Amino acid sequence: EHGPYLPHEPGYGLYQPGYGPYDDQTPDPEHRMLSFQNAKAYLLKSSVTSGLNLYDHLVNVLAKILDEQPTDPVDIFENISKDVKAAQFQKKMDTLRDEHEVLPSFDSAEVRRNLFLKTDGEGDEEREEMGETPLPNVMETAFYFEQGGIGLSRDETYLIFLALKKLVSVQPIQTCRFWGRILGQEMNYIIAEVQYHEGEEEEEETEEEEVMVEGEKRLDEVEDEEKEKGEPLKSTYKPPPVIPKEENGTGANKYIYFVCNEPGKPWVKLPPVTPAQIVCARKIKKFFTGRLDAPVVSFPPFPGNEANYLRAQIARISAGTHVSPLGYYRFTEEEGDEDEEGGGGRDECEENPEFEPLSAFEMVESLSTWVHHVPSILNQGRCVWFNPLQKTEEEEGEEEEEKDEVPDELQQEVGPPLLTPLSEDEGIQNIPAWTASVSTKLTPQYAVAILRSNRWPGAYAFACGTKFGNIYFGWGHKYSLGNHTPALPPPVQPEYPDGPEISEATDPTVEEELAFKAAREQKSLESMEEEEEEEFEDEDDDDD
């Protein structure tokens, strides 16, 4: 039998008393610790092929067995060892991927969560009568458009309905309507068309006037300071008069528009539109980005940012595509009795309580059964023409002092009258302005008349009995046959008037110079002779 292990042998110090012939001898503790260190060092040797060591592998295997505690681990020990070894060769994720990833669905759910929470004022509104609520029945309108294959999904439509409900509960709104959605390159715009209660718009107008008055005062103060400094006088050029915007509640600013990028995000109120913005919007073609503060880089330069451009396009689309069945609206009695001067036509209409709807097939047969119930926008950028030569009393007094030439009177612009049938709309070469269709021919009693605009792709209207609606889903651009061509810059202004009095003369020849000198000398001699004759005559008179 083998005696006690020597210090250089692997088993040195591992035997226990009672297992050998020399049990009465106790091993040295130092020798036992040395043997442990030698054994652990042997287990920690890494493999040349895999780079793993047996010590760490056994620790991982035992830790997995203790964590999972499978039944009969001795039977599946080899499989556990294989799984642990395979896990060591998986690709390690870097620090960026190890971070908690937030899914887009989670972000959208967080945004929409507020739509399902009730505020303090919503509970009281539900107790009131539903007939007087300004909240529109978006789901019913979406159902009719869905019959013609138009609209959004039902889930998204319901979220828009909840977003409009939040808007009505916060703002003092009298009427509210889902106008549509304009697409953008980064984000889209969901648009709500509202009207405030009486008195709310007046407060906003006074605030805007105060801001304008303060700005005018500041400009006057700057001019006075410049005069005191003794700076040179400014140019006497007078720019063309600025066409004022229409007041809130009239013309292109009849309605107020709120926009948001997604249901659940805050609503943003768009500013009123000005005639200069509408005129410039007709000359440019820009895609929306989805950011209201984004600049509009174009030629001619647009006076404002994307919020103003969006408001101008909304006004143009509303004026050209908002239609209703013939007879649904009628002119107000006051305007019907009085004849308006200026040829502007009747500007206001109201619902007709005696309206008798036509069938869907009759609405589709002829476009004369549809009319425009929104006034058109003139080339000036307003619905009601404004005379730029009309001046105030102060300007008239100044003109009396400065007698200038009176310019010729401008010819007043006249647009198509209100409630004009669609059959009078101009087409696009061989393309009609509108296309009418029926949702179904199998059940004519339940059919819905669908109208699609070819001039503004994305504008639709429906009519079913006494109900109708208008909506827009598109990029906010008007249809054009060819590619968009930007306007050319105006011709360069001349620096000075060109004429013979300021043009450079050609140098005379030698012969011309000699002839000129001879003529000048002859004139001088003649003048001297005349002077001498006059002197002789004076002397003779004195002698007499």
Side-chain angles (χ1 to χ4, degrees):
E1 295 183 4
H2 193 278
Y5 290 100
L6 298 177
H8 66 275
E9 295 179 346
Y12 177 76
L14 295 180
Y15 72 93
Q16 297 294 331
Y19 292 94
Y22 305 100
D23 293 338
D24 55 341
Q25 298 180 2
T26 304
D28 188 2
E30 296 182 359
H31 292 175
R32 180 182 291 270
M33 184 59 62
L34 182 60
S35 63
F36 283 141
Q37 292 176 358
N38 294 337
K40 186 175 182 180
Y42 172 75
L43 296 176
L44 286 173
K45 288 182 179 180
S46 298
S47 174
V48 179
T49 57
S50 62
L52 303 178
N53 60 76
L54 183 60
Y55 183 85
D56 293 337
H57 179 66
L58 291 175
V59 169
N60 295 332
V61 170
L62 294 176
K64 184 172 183 178
I65 293 174
L66 294 176
D67 292 340
E68 298 178 0
Q69 295 184 358
T71 57
D72 300 331
V74 67
D75 298 333
I76 58 175
F77 184 82
E78 292 80 2
N79 296 332
I80 296 174
S81 176
K82 190 181 297 182
D83 294 340
V84 171
K85 188 177 291 185
Q88 297 291 334
F89 295 99
Q90 291 182 357
K91 183 179 179 181
K92 293 183 179 181
M93 309 297 286
D94 55 7
T95 55
L96 294 178
R97 294 185 179 181
D98 287 340
E99 293 181 356
H100 178 64
E101 183 179 1
V102 180
L103 300 177
S105 58
F106 180 80
D107 292 337
S108 60
E110 283 291 329
V111 172
R112 297 170 181 174
R113 186 170 64 91
N114 296 328
L115 297 175
F116 299 90
L117 300 178
K118 292 184 178 180
T119 58
D120 298 336
E122 290 183 0
D124 300 335
E125 293 178 359
E126 293 179 356
R127 298 175 185 175
E128 298 178 358
E129 297 181 359
M130 297 299 295
E132 299 179 357
T133 178
L135 189 65
N137 194 347
V138 179
M139 301 304 296
E140 181 183 9
T141 305
F143 168 77
Y144 287 111
F145 279 113
E146 187 179 358
Q147 305 307 309
I150 303 163
L152 308 173
S153 63
R154 295 187 178 181
D155 294 341
E156 190 171 1
T157 303
Y158 186 72
L159 292 175
I160 293 175
F161 169 73
L162 295 179
L164 294 176
K165 186 178 179 182
K166 289 288 183 182
L167 177 63
V168 170
S169 64
V170 174
Q171 298 289 338
I173 294 174
Q174 184 178 2
T175 59
C176 180
R177 189 179 74 87
F178 175 49
W179 187 88
R181 183 173 69 174
I182 289 182
L183 305 178
Q185 294 178 333
E186 300 177 10
M187 294 177 289
N188 303 327
Y189 288 116
I190 298 173
I191 305 167
E193 182 183 85
V194 304
Q195 271 186 322
Y196 279 161
H197 289 287
E198 295 182 359
E200 297 293 337
E201 297 179 1
E202 296 178 359
E203 295 178 359
E204 294 184 356
E205 289 179 0
T206 53
E207 291 179 359
E208 292 178 359
E209 290 176 359
E210 290 178 358
V211 174
M212 291 295 292
V213 170
E214 290 179 359
E216 292 175 359
K217 289 181 179 178
R218 292 173 184 172
L219 292 175
D220 295 339
E221 292 175 358
V222 172
E223 291 178 358
D224 294 339
E225 291 178 359
E226 291 179 354
K227 290 180 180 179
E228 291 177 359
K229 292 179 181 178
E231 294 186 0
L233 297 176
K234 295 183 179 180
S235 174
T236 57
Y237 167 75
K238 293 183 179 180
V242 179
I243 306 299
K245 71 178 183 68
E246 295 177 300
E247 298 180 357
N248 293 341
T250 60
N253 291 322
K254 182 177 181 180
Y255 297 99
I256 299 171
Y257 295 91
F258 287 84
V259 297
C260 67
N261 299 117
E262 187 180 347
K265 290 187 177 180
W267 291 95
V268 180
K269 179 183 174 182
L270 295 180
V273 66
T274 61
Q277 294 170 355
I278 294 179
V279 172
C280 186
R282 288 171 172 167
K283 300 178 182 179
I284 64 176
K285 198 168 187 178
K286 296 284 290 184
F287 282 100
F288 294 96
T289 62
R291 294 179 285 107
L292 293 175
D293 58 347
V296 180
V297 182
S298 64
F299 183 83
F302 184 79
N305 54 11
E306 187 166 302
N308 303 105
Y309 181 55
L310 175 63
R311 180 63 182 86
Q313 292 299 95
I314 290 174
R316 294 180 62 199
I317 296 171
S318 300
T321 63
H322 282 192
V323 297
S324 59
L326 177 64
Y328 187 89
Y329 288 103
R330 67 178 183 182
F331 293 108
T332 56
E333 297 179 357
E334 297 178 356
E335 293 184 350
D337 298 338
E338 299 178 1
D339 294 330
E340 295 185 358
E341 298 180 357
R346 301 168 179 177
D347 298 333
E348 294 183 3
C349 58
E350 61 183 3
E351 294 185 7
N352 184 12
E354 301 176 357
F355 169 65
E356 295 181 0
L358 302 176
S359 63
F361 287 91
E362 294 175 344
M363 296 291 295
V364 170
E365 287 178 358
S366 175
L367 292 177
S368 59
T369 56
W370 299 82
V371 296
H372 291 275
H373 62 268
V374 175
S376 61
I377 300 177
L378 304 176
N379 295 332
Q380 192 183 47
R382 290 168 54 100
C383 296
V384 180
W385 188 75
F386 175 80
N387 186 6
L389 301 179
Q390 184 179 1
K391 297 166 185 177
T392 59
E393 296 179 357
E394 296 179 358
E395 293 178 351
E396 289 178 357
E398 293 177 358
E399 286 187 353
E400 290 178 358
E401 298 176 359
E402 301 176 0
K403 295 180 180 180
D404 299 334
E405 296 182 358
V406 180
D408 298 334
E409 294 184 357
L410 296 176
Q411 186 178 1
Q412 181 179 358
E413 295 182 19
V414 179
L418 203 61
L419 302 183
T420 302
L422 302 189
S423 56
E424 299 183 7
D425 290 1
E426 296 182 1
I428 310 169
Q429 290 188 358
N430 298 328
I431 304 174
W434 298 87
T435 301
S437 60
V438 182
S439 61
T440 178
K441 296 181 180 179
L442 300 177
T443 55
Q445 63 273 20
Y446 300 111
V448 179
I450 302 296
L451 199 64
R452 178 171 59 90
S453 174
N454 297 325
R455 188 175 296 275
W456 288 96
Y460 302 94
F462 84 91
C464 182
T466 58
K467 296 180 180 179
F468 80 96
N470 295 274
I471 206 165
Y472 181 83
F473 298 107
W475 293 94
H477 291 161
K478 196 174 184 178
Y479 177 75
S480 58
L481 293 173
N483 296 329
H484 174 70
T485 304
L488 296 176
V492 180
Q493 183 179 4
E495 297 182 1
Y496 52 86
D498 190 8
E501 63 276 0
I502 63 172
S503 59
E504 185 178 359
T506 57
D507 294 337
T509 60
V510 177
E511 297 174 354
E512 292 176 351
E513 288 182 355
L514 295 174
F516 177 75
K517 289 180 179 180
R520 188 174 60 180
E521 291 177 356
Q522 186 177 358
K523 285 183 180 180
S524 62
L525 291 173
E526 291 177 357
S527 61
M528 291 174 64
E529 290 176 357
E530 290 177 358
E531 290 178 357
E532 290 178 356
E533 290 177 359
E534 290 178 357
E535 289 178 357
F536 286 127
E537 290 177 359
D538 293 339
E539 290 178 357
D540 294 340
D541 293 338
D542 292 339
D543 294 339
D544 295 339

